[in-house]
Amino acid sequence: DVKVTQSSRYLVKRTGEKVFLECVQDMDHENMFWYRQDPGLGLRLIYFSYDVKMKEKGDIPEGYSVSREKKERFSLILESASTNQTSMYLCASSPFSGSVNEQFFGPGTRLTVL
Amino acid sequence: DAKTTQPPSMDCAEGRAANLPCNHSTISGNEYVYWYRQIHSQGPQYIIHGLKNNETNEMASLIITEDRKSSTLILPHATLRDTAVYYCIVSYLKAAGNKLTFGGGTRVLVKP
């Protein structure tokens, strides 16, 4: 079974803190994604990566950065957390090969910024 | 990517078929229709996808109209565990960093 794990299920941080959200997948997938999910707004793509050290902006990259130093790990960084970044953060991965654009999601990290 | 339109919510009786509609009138010729669902407190989960033919797997069936402007996801015998938000997504076939754009989805409540 594909497994995508996220470092925390719940996280509470203070405004201005630097926050790291970690995502690890164990299926050698090339693509990895970070989304945030807010009530009424659905899932929105923040950043994605299709290879080590490669990254592309998604729809809402402002206030975030990412790092992909190893194939299995994709980190989301909030350089200076703000209250409007309180949200559910979901990581996903998908392979290049195969005929299905199937993304495998982690359980999510609910981040609260006070 | 083409946009999709889904009803915001629907109820279904346990054991009955649930038919979830989706409109995607601007779909292009090589875009696929994907369905995902998200059970409360979990990440979304892939269900099924199709291009123009009807598709069936162990979870659901997908019926795509001939003009491809709409589709219906069918859960043949809904159970309480099928209560979730269902997303209809139009996307190209796999490519580097191929994105999925999630809309509002349909919140399905299966009632006993």
Side-chain angles (χ1 to χ4, degrees), chain B residues 31-106:
Chain B
E31 284 183 303
Y32 285 67
V33 179
Y34 286 82
W35 283 84
Y36 279 70
R37 75 178 183 184
Q38 187 174 20
I39 295 170
H40 183 62
S41 297
Q42 297 182 22
Q45 174 193 24
Y46 164 84
I47 301 173
I48 198 167
H49 78 290
L51 182 63
K52 49 184 147 182
N53 297 324
N54 298 337
E55 303 287 345
T56 295
N57 63 20
E58 65 279 2
M59 289 181 70
S61 295
L62 174 60
I63 309 297
I64 302 174
T65 58
E66 197 167 333
D67 63 7
R68 301 205 332 118
K69 294 188 176 185
S70 66
S71 61
T72 301
L73 179 76
I74 301 171
L75 308 177
H77 305 286
T79 71
L80 299 179
R81 286 175 295 180
D82 291 323
T83 290
V85 178
Y86 288 77
Y87 297 98
C88 169
I89 300 163
V90 170
S91 176
Y92 293 101
L93 197 55
K94 183 167 303 303
N98 205 355
K99 299 185 288 181
L100 295 173
T101 300
F102 288 80
T106 296

Side-chain angles (χ1 to χ4, degrees), chain A residues 21-90:
Chain A
L21 302 182
E22 305 285 339
C23 176
V24 178
Q25 49 95 2
D26 66 358
M27 284 301 290
D28 204 35
H29 286 172
E30 290 80 8
N31 298 323
M32 295 190 75
F33 307 82
W34 273 106
Y35 297 84
R36 65 177 282 176
Q37 184 170 30
D38 302 287
L41 296 176
L43 278 86
R44 294 179 291 167
L45 182 64
I46 304 171
Y47 266 97
F48 65 98
S49 167
Y50 54 86
D51 200 355
V52 175
K53 296 195 187 294
M54 304 301 290
K55 59 186 179 186
E56 294 282 343
K57 293 180 180 178
D59 300 318
I60 50 163
E62 297 78 19
Y64 303 94
S65 62
V66 289
S67 172
R68 185 127 182 242
E69 296 296 320
K70 293 186 177 181
K71 191 175 185 181
E72 68 271 17
R73 188 179 297 269
F74 192 34
S75 302
L76 180 69
I77 304 152
L78 287 64
E79 295 288 343
S80 177
S82 63
T83 54
N84 62 13
Q85 293 178 308
T86 290
S87 185
M88 170 68 83
Y89 289 87
L90 289 155

Side-chain angles (χ1 to χ4, degrees), chain A residues 6 13 55 65 108 110:
Chain A
Q6 296 183 228
K13 295 292 181 181
K55 59 186 179 186
S65 62
R110 185 166 295 283

